Amino acid sequence: MQLFYNTTINESTESLIFDKEESKHIIKVLRKKDGDILFVTNGLGYLFKTEIILASDAKCTVQIVSFEKAPEPKIQLHLAVAPTKMNDRYEWFLEKATEIGIQEITPIICDRSERKVINTERFEKIILSAMKQSNALFLPKLNPAISFKDFVKQKKEGLQLIAHCEETDKKSLKSVIRANENATILIGPEGDFSDKEINLAIEHNYLPVTLGNTRLRTETAAIVACHSVVFLNENS
């Protein structure tokens, strides 16, 4: 199934006109024609089956044949991850986390962050592309970048965890995550969280965890955390 995305389509929509860029892709690249079926999502869990009624490369028009709603995710997984020095590594994380099934992502600017500015528009395009490629129906939420200090002061529902590499008392991630429980997990920059940040997180009820016996890159740690939580809930 090839999936298309449109923010305006909903349960009451009867027909839909794709924009010029998408229309050109559908007709010229994919060579779709009148009567062909296209599947469209609005990123809110809906899958719409549509039929092309005007195969125009300027305004491809479809009519809604039917729709269905996917079950809501069992939990809300929120990863707050420091931007990596090499931008492509963070983009890789965004792509893979979306494919695995994350719900929310926040870039956090830490004491040791080497990158403090992000391209939100590009990140959103990567997340959207990954959602379509993996035939997912829920578009993860990407929040604006925020300082670590401001983020940890926000109250979150469910488990609050901070993964770091300091030799202090920590529990393994797999021993603390539980099925059907929301989780917010903090992942630091290449130089890890500072002692000050770790202590601040603990003051705000974050539990220190380890992701294993080896030292992981930021993007690897984020994917390990994401997969661990999603896998547990898929098999619960």
Side-chain angles (χ1 to χ4, degrees):
M1 180 180 70
Q2 184 163 21
L3 191 62
F4 295 86
Y5 173 72
N6 187 277
T7 58
T8 64
I9 193 170
N10 57 50
E11 296 162 290
S12 61
T13 303
E14 296 181 355
S15 64
L16 174 70
I17 300 175
F18 289 98
D19 62 31
K20 188 173 182 179
E21 182 180 353
E22 192 81 284
S23 294
K24 185 176 180 180
H25 178 72
I26 292 169
I27 304 305
K28 294 294 188 181
V29 178
L30 300 178
R31 300 185 181 279
K32 299 294 184 179
K33 58 187 184 300
D34 286 352
D36 283 350
I37 298 298
L38 301 180
F39 291 95
V40 185
T41 185
N42 56 8
L44 301 174
Y46 286 89
L47 178 65
F48 297 87
K49 182 180 180 180
T50 73
E51 179 182 349
I52 298 177
I53 56 175
L54 178 60
S56 166
D57 61 2
K59 53 176 183 179
C60 178
T61 305
V62 298
Q63 66 179 6
I64 313 305
V65 176
S66 62
F67 69 86
E68 58 187 72
K69 176 73 162 62
E72 292 290 332
K74 291 182 179 180
I75 65 158
Q76 292 295 306
L77 171 59
H78 187 171
L79 289 187
V81 185
T84 53
K85 181 179 179 181
M86 301 299 292
N87 212 36
D88 60 337
R89 290 179 176 168
Y90 204 85
E91 292 174 0
W92 178 86
F93 147 66
L94 293 172
E95 179 183 76
K96 301 312 174 189
T98 300
E99 291 177 12
I100 293 169
I102 196 169
Q103 283 73 50
E104 189 170 357
I105 301 166
T106 301
I108 49 173
I109 309 304
C110 304
D111 291 342
R112 295 170 180 166
S113 290
E114 295 189 60
R115 179 179 293 276
K116 299 187 178 183
V117 177
I118 65 167
N119 187 336
T120 302
E121 184 177 354
R122 176 170 172 79
F123 283 2
E124 287 176 339
K125 287 181 178 179
I126 289 169
I127 291 172
L128 175 57
S129 178
M131 181 199 74
K132 291 162 62 178
Q133 185 276 330
S134 58
N135 285 337
L137 300 179
F138 290 94
L139 182 66
K141 180 182 179 183
L142 175 67
N143 296 314
I146 186 174
S147 71
F148 176 91
K149 179 177 66 174
D150 288 340
F151 184 86
V152 296
K153 290 179 179 178
Q154 299 173 353
K155 179 61 179 175
K156 306 294 182 184
E157 292 185 4
L159 284 172
Q160 296 184 163
L161 309 174
I162 178 170
H164 66 80
C165 300
E166 293 299 314
E167 294 297 329
T168 59
D169 184 32
K170 295 177 290 186
K171 295 185 177 181
S172 68
L173 177 65
K174 67 179 181 180
S175 72
V176 298
I177 57 175
R178 295 182 289 271
N180 303 316
E181 183 170 14
N182 295 341
T184 301
I185 305 177
L186 309 177
I187 306 291
E190 281 91 340
D192 203 3
F193 293 115
S194 66
D195 290 342
K196 180 180 177 181
E197 288 171 330
I198 294 171
N199 290 332
L200 181 63
I202 293 172
E203 289 175 12
H204 286 85
N205 301 314
Y206 279 84
L207 178 67
V209 294
T210 175
L211 301 178
N213 297 324
T214 59
R215 190 178 184 91
L216 304 176
R217 290 183 181 274
T218 295
E219 69 276 14
T220 310
I223 292 302
V224 168
C226 180
H227 181 265
S228 297
V229 176
V230 172
F231 182 79
L232 172 66
N233 281 277
E234 284 183 345
N235 291 274
S236 63

